[in-house]
Amino acid sequence: MAVEANAPPGGPTPAPGTVRVANRGGLADLVADAELEKAAAGVLSPGQAPPPVSGKMLRVEVRGLLHDWFDVADMGDFIRSPQFAGTLRENVARYFGVPIERQAIYDEDGLLTSCADYSRALQRFYPKLFIYDLEEMGPDLRARAVEELRQLDADVEQSYRQFGAGRDSRGISPCPSARSQEKSEA
């Protein structure tokens, strides 16, 4: 977090994460600035430089706690690769203790299900993910997720039909989720 001291009133608007310190004068300014810088950088060991600030820092909320995790800009084109979503989920399991099979990861728009969803979520100006453990997820959020998945399934089935890959002559859908639904209805 940057600290902007003695900024003129009506001057440029500070960037998000910037704290504007009023001009109190003398020692009070120095003490206040030092405290703000310590709070912004976290507690650092002697000789350790604060991490660089980036507008592309991925923020993740896990179990109600917000974490600045990594600089998305440092990942380059890897966030657009098919392997990225799997790597991210493995790291969520490692760093936040949410096993892959119990993860539900959201952005501001909803549940992330495809590699493209993850890529788009991290290309936002201020990327933020919400990570849930399915065993700890509340019933309302879980019910909304199930409804989102039903809608997604219907949208995928419609896309299959639009591309001419709808049900075959036996009435079987190429969409795996639709096939399992057909079996349960039979």
Side-chain angles (χ1 to χ4, degrees), residues 43-172:
V43 178
L44 300 174
S45 60
Q48 182 182 10
V53 176
S54 167
K56 291 293 280 187
M57 181 63 65
L58 174 61
R59 302 191 95 188
V60 294
E61 184 177 306
V62 185
R63 295 181 177 103
L65 298 175
L66 191 59
H67 306 270
D68 286 342
W69 195 10
F70 62 84
D71 189 335
V72 175
D74 290 344
M75 301 301 290
D77 289 335
F78 182 58
I79 65 168
R80 291 182 185 87
S81 74
Q83 296 82 18
F84 178 75
T87 301
L88 182 80
R89 291 172 64 95
E90 288 171 6
N91 284 306
V92 164
R94 181 177 301 123
Y95 294 109
F96 299 109
V98 181
I100 293 172
E101 64 275 3
R102 295 193 335 230
Q103 291 176 11
I105 302 177
Y106 289 77
D107 70 353
E108 291 89 355
D109 294 328
L111 183 64
L112 305 181
T113 56
S114 70
C115 293
D117 288 341
Y118 284 88
S119 177
R120 277 192 295 271
L122 269 68
Q123 290 180 52
R124 292 177 176 267
F125 194 70
Y126 294 110
K128 182 176 180 184
L129 300 178
F130 302 87
I131 299 170
Y132 295 93
D133 183 326
L134 290 172
E135 289 185 356
E136 299 169 6
M137 185 182 263
D140 292 341
L141 186 56
R142 195 178 184 108
R144 281 191 306 206
V146 168
E147 187 53 40
E148 279 185 53
L149 290 169
R150 281 191 183 118
Q151 183 59 49
L152 178 64
D153 187 46
D155 293 343
V156 169
E157 179 66 26
Q158 179 180 354
S159 293
Y160 269 114
R161 283 194 299 269
Q162 287 173 327
F163 281 93
R167 300 178 190 282
D168 67 12
S169 60
R170 298 171 298 174
I172 297 175

